[in-house]
Amino acid sequence: MAAIDSVQHRKYTAGLQTEVDAAFLYDRIAAAEEVPAIAGMFRELGAIEREHAIKMQEKLARDGVAITLPPPSWRARVLDRIGRILGYGYVIGVMMDTEKSISAAQLSQKEKSHIPISGDEANHVKILQTLLNNKSKVSGEHISRIEGKHRSIGGNALRAAVLGANDGLVSNMSLVMGVAGATDAGSGVLLAGMAGLLAGALSMALGEWISVKSSQELYERQMALEMLEIETNPEGEMRELALIYIAKGIPEAQARQMAATAIQDTEHAHEILVKEELGINTEELKGSAWEAAIASFLLFAVGAILPVIPFFYASGYQAIFQSLAFSTAGLFLIGAAITLFTGKSVWYSGFRQVLFGLAAAAVTYGIGKLIGVSLSG
């Protein structure tokens, strides 16, 4: 039997770590879940991931590589810490995205290699989908709780925090380097950097406020219109409810009976139609536009202040080099934070972020230098 090469070994080792991390996180989510039925399904997901890890370990052993199951990685432990602090809804969103990506990759690889599809590739995704969609196993109220958690991840406050800081850092570093190139890092750099910080942060805050507020106003208008339709044409809305149930696979007679029962309670019927027909998650209406705006302002400012700090106490090339050092450290940390969502190597993601950020700074510095020379000449 041919031994696996180093590339294959790294591939299997990384895959083994992914399965161990997933099992750990699903167990942690299950332990924090208050609803027994939902907790049980998360535990089942964890069991599937452990089974995958054991099978992968056995495959390595057959190929002559003895390896013990690794402990949860730093990434998994950080996500668990985030879950304990901010709620495991954040972690559920990351896990769902990860599981779907892994399943799609496995299916694609098997198709390319002409390996038969066993059906096990998407077990974990299917369980999550069952948790979200199978109302015979989990009550509608509980499903709504999970759907609300996952949809709140779509906008992902944590992801937004990382990207907001990245926007502030890259944009203001480029501005600072451009002005430094044009003025040989004179006193104008500090003024330009602070102006860029405030302008960018205020723009981000205003944009976020408008986005959240306009979405809420649109949803509220649609919900009010749906209530008006129920009050003025309950028979038509009852038929809509019946069609929604039929589309979900419920027998026609049962669907019409369920619709007739639901329409008797106006508030309940409105809640169902808002969710099923309009696709509106009422949890999104509870968010504060001002909180979103303030958070966007602060996150942008945190990134934008890094390249400016050295110009408070230094000037010339000393300030430029220190500014690049501060910015490089910030870019690497942002790249490392992104791996919480992508699962990529910290070094790969961190250095990629540094490379792109410094490339942008080099371009603007060069342009600033040319402009400065042109003006002085």
Side-chain angles (χ1 to χ4, degrees), residues 251-271:
E252 182 176 349
Q254 182 181 353
R256 295 192 182 282
Q257 178 58 45
M258 290 172 63
T261 302
I263 205 69
Q264 293 175 10
D265 184 342
T266 302
E267 292 295 331
H268 181 56
H270 181 252
E271 180 182 340

Side-chain angles (χ1 to χ4, degrees), residues 296-337:
S296 293
F297 181 95
L298 293 176
L299 293 169
F300 187 95
V302 165
I305 194 63
L306 289 177
V308 182
I309 291 174
F311 293 94
F312 280 100
Y313 56 82
S315 62
Y317 286 107
Q318 179 186 3
I320 290 176
F321 290 140
Q322 289 188 25
S323 176
L324 288 174
F326 277 59
S327 299
T328 298
L331 287 166
F332 186 86
L333 289 174
I334 288 170

Side-chain angles (χ1 to χ4, degrees), residues 74-75 334-347 349-350:
W74 72 269
R75 175 178 180 266
I334 288 170
I338 290 173
T339 64
L340 290 174
F341 314 110
T342 64
K344 291 283 188 180
S345 163
V346 170
W347 298 107
S349 185

Side-chain angles (χ1 to χ4, degrees), residues 97-114:
D97 292 341
T98 300
E99 296 289 18
K100 289 178 181 179
S101 298
I102 292 174
S103 176
Q106 289 176 341
L107 290 171
S108 176
Q109 184 60 40
K110 287 192 173 184
E111 288 176 358
K112 289 180 181 178
S113 304
H114 304 290

